């Protein structure tokens, strides 16, 4: 898959995340719960309770970006969340 960034690391947050959180709220999760620097060359992946949505946070050298994906089919789930 071709992406805008080529991260050195990918971190999957294994706990459930409140999907009302946006960039600032997810930065707090990265810093406080994961004990990581959100400015590092990495993708931070978060899932919701039903595991049918995913958010990916990353720093692209000019600011934070947030990707959001929602599965469309009923009963579809992300496996590794």
């Amino acid at each position: 898959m071709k992406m805008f960034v080529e991260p050195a690391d990918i971190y999957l947050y294994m706990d459930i995340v409140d999907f009302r959180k946006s960039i600032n709220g997810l930065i707090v999760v990265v810093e406080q719960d994961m004990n990581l620097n959100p400015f590092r060359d990495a993708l931070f992946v978060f899932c919701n309770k039903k595991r049918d949505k995913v958010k990916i946070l990353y720093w692209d050298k000019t600011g934070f970006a947030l990707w959001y994906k929602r599965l469309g089919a009923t009963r579809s789930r992300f496996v590794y969340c």
Side-chain angles (χ1 to χ4, degrees), residues 42-55:
L43 298 179
F44 301 97
V45 182
F46 305 92
C47 289
N48 67 334
K49 186 174 184 177
K50 289 195 225 177
R51 297 184 318 183
D52 63 345
K53 298 175 188 149
V54 66
K55 284 187 177 183

